[in-house]
Amino acid sequence: MAPSGPGSVRRRCRRVLYWIPVVFISLLLGWSYYAYAIQLCIVSMENIGEQVVCLIAYHLLFAMFVWSYWKTIFTLPMNPSKEFHLSYAEKELLEREPRGEAHQEVLRRAARDLPIYTRTMSGAIRYCDRCQLIKPDRCHHCSVCDKCILKMDHHCPWVNNCVGFSNYKFFLLFLAYSLLYCLFIAATDLQYFIKFWTNGLPDTQAKFHIMFLFFAAAMFSVSLSSLFGYHCWLVSKNKSTLEAFRSPVFRHGTDKNGFSLGFGKNMRQVFGDEKKYWLLPIFSSLGDGCSFPTCLVNQDPEQPSTPAGLNSSSKNPENHQFPAKPLRESQSHLLTDSQSWTENSTNLGKGKAGMSNPALTMENEN
């Protein structure tokens, strides 16, 4: 067996360092349990009824917090399926072709039957040289994980994992339950925190735990509320963090609302159709992560006009009837020339009124 080189040692050291934020949160959570359950509830509270109510509510929030945090950390990010990987012959052809139109022609042929709507800023097929695959919509390469991640939102150091399609719901619940956890601690600890400054507490070590517990809970509540509110806004718009900073590019141009289906449908994209699972860290998101329904309509009047063939009545995503089949079963018209796309939309329009949505066009052709 070959000895490990300096590069391998550095990678191992980085992996260990990446766990430091997770260890910090775990230690902080363990101390907060001791400070609240033992020092505050059992030692400092004199009313038995108050003790019981606080301990039951606290342990419920604590369990949901730990469960969602655990799922966010240890749920592996999903990678593109094998159909997005190039064949051996296509890889050889790409290596022989210089960067340019010939290179793109190889990628266009390989992506002809893939459900791809987005492109690069220059209008080219989104291709990952590192993973040697055609990127599905909303997929990005993570430099930390060194992999392409489906519907990548961001790489979070506090969970030492990529937040994407497979664990985004868990991440949202982690933010929600951690915020509720901190708010609950701050609210129930407030009266004892005031007693600390008015010398109303006995002179024991519990008083210092009570003081620092309130400061920590209040401080994290402020930061978590802003972060959770931001991600709630992203869910309502069906955006990822990356898409909020750089809008996805479609054939007709940049469209920041390209994946927005309306508030209700956007919520179900993340939390699923069964509401009984919404508050539980159990995977229930819709789709396979490789293809997503899209209206392909500009709703922002400041953006360029809609592509030819789209009716003005289709600008409201709530009125769209999206295909029931997975989009991967439909041919992507973004990889063909604009003339054939317009002709197909025109022919379908003669048979059925209102079928101007490219997603519906693809569905009816199949």
Side-chain angles (χ1 to χ4, degrees), residues 127-191:
Y127 177 74
C128 180
D129 292 306
R130 185 79 173 177
C131 301
Q132 294 187 317
L133 56 81
I134 295 171
K135 293 180 184 178
D137 291 343
R138 316 184 81 175
C139 174
H140 298 275
H141 186 88
C142 176
S143 59
V144 179
C145 299
D146 197 23
K147 293 178 182 178
C148 281
I149 308 299
L150 294 181
K151 196 186 176 184
M152 179 177 172
D153 188 87
H154 68 288
H155 186 94
C156 181
W158 297 106
V159 300
N160 190 27
N161 199 4
C162 249
V163 177
F165 177 75
S166 62
N167 63 349
Y168 186 63
K169 177 191 172 184
F170 307 149
F171 177 74
L172 278 174
L173 293 178
F174 157 62
L175 292 180
Y177 287 122
S178 59
L179 176 59
L180 290 175
Y181 180 80
C182 292
L183 289 174
F184 176 79
I185 289 178
T188 53
D189 188 27
L190 178 59
Q191 60 174 315

Side-chain angles (χ1 to χ4, degrees), residues 24-330:
F24 171 75
I25 293 294
S26 301
L27 292 175
L28 187 63
L29 189 61
W31 167 77
S32 69
Y33 182 89
Y34 170 76
Y36 187 88
I38 306 299
Q39 296 295 334
L40 178 61
C41 291
I42 297 178
V43 174
S44 301
M45 289 184 181
E46 297 178 353
N47 188 296
I48 301 298
E50 183 184 8
Q51 282 183 341
V52 172
V53 172
C54 287
L55 284 173
I56 291 176
Y58 172 80
H59 280 90
L60 179 61
L61 289 174
F62 181 83
M64 298 305 295
F65 179 10
V66 172
W67 187 11
S68 57
Y69 188 47
W70 177 276
K71 293 285 285 186
T72 307
I73 295 173
F74 295 105
T75 299
L76 295 177
M78 288 181 63
N79 311 119
S81 56
K82 61 180 181 180
E83 62 184 338
F84 289 90
H85 290 258
L86 297 184
S87 64
Y88 180 76
E90 289 168 338
K91 291 178 184 177
E92 281 194 330
L93 195 57
L94 270 185
E95 291 175 359
R96 291 199 301 266
E97 296 290 349
R99 292 280 180 176
E101 185 58 33
H103 194 270
Q104 274 297 301
E105 183 59 34
V106 175
L107 293 178
R108 276 195 289 268
R109 287 199 302 267
R112 186 177 294 113
D113 296 322
L114 296 177
I116 297 175
Y117 286 79
T118 56
R119 293 194 174 186
T120 65
M121 294 296 292
S122 62
I125 302 297
R126 297 173 66 244
Y127 177 74
C128 180
D129 292 306
R130 185 79 173 177
C131 301
Q132 294 187 317
L133 56 81
I134 295 171
K135 293 180 184 178
D137 291 343
R138 316 184 81 175
C139 174
H140 298 275
H141 186 88
C142 176
S143 59
V144 179
C145 299
D146 197 23
K147 293 178 182 178
C148 281
I149 308 299
L150 294 181
K151 196 186 176 184
M152 179 177 172
D153 188 87
H154 68 288
H155 186 94
C156 181
W158 297 106
V159 300
N160 190 27
N161 199 4
C162 249
V163 177
F165 177 75
S166 62
N167 63 349
Y168 186 63
K169 177 191 172 184
F170 307 149
F171 177 74
L172 278 174
L173 293 178
F174 157 62
L175 292 180
Y177 287 122
S178 59
L179 176 59
L180 290 175
Y181 180 80
C182 292
L183 289 174
F184 176 79
I185 289 178
T188 53
D189 188 27
L190 178 59
Q191 60 174 315
Y192 298 94
F193 177 75
I194 295 174
K195 288 181 180 180
F196 172 84
W197 295 105
T198 57
N199 297 320
L201 289 177
D203 192 15
T204 62
Q205 64 172 354
K207 61 188 299 185
F208 296 103
H209 285 288
I210 290 172
M211 180 187 68
F212 288 116
L213 185 65
F214 180 82
F215 275 127
M219 179 183 65
F220 279 103
S221 295
V222 173
S223 59
L224 285 170
S225 59
S226 59
L227 184 59
F228 179 64
Y230 175 68
H231 278 276
C232 287
W233 176 79
L234 289 178
V235 171
S236 70
K237 298 295 183 181
N238 203 357
K239 293 181 180 182
S240 66
T241 300
L242 294 176
E243 290 165 352
F245 284 96
R246 178 179 292 180
S247 300
V249 180
F250 298 89
R251 182 184 179 92
H252 63 274
T254 301
D255 191 341
K256 67 180 183 181
N257 296 314
F259 291 107
S260 182
L261 312 176
F263 180 78
K265 292 185 176 70
N266 292 344
M267 288 285 292
R268 290 195 290 273
Q269 284 286 304
V270 175
F271 292 97
D273 289 326
E274 300 188 59
K275 293 184 179 180
K276 61 183 180 181
Y277 295 123
W278 281 17
L279 300 181
L280 298 176
I282 299 173
F283 184 81
S284 58
S285 302
L286 300 181
D288 58 3
C290 291
S291 58
F292 299 90
T294 172
C295 56
L296 291 180
V297 172
N298 292 299
Q299 302 179 44
D300 189 346
E302 297 181 359
Q303 291 183 334
S305 59
T306 59
L310 293 180
N311 296 334
S312 59
S313 62
S314 65
K315 290 185 179 181
N316 185 1
E318 291 285 1
N319 295 331
H320 287 314
Q321 296 179 0
F322 292 94
K325 297 180 182 178
L327 291 179
R328 64 170 60 216
E329 299 178 10
S330 304

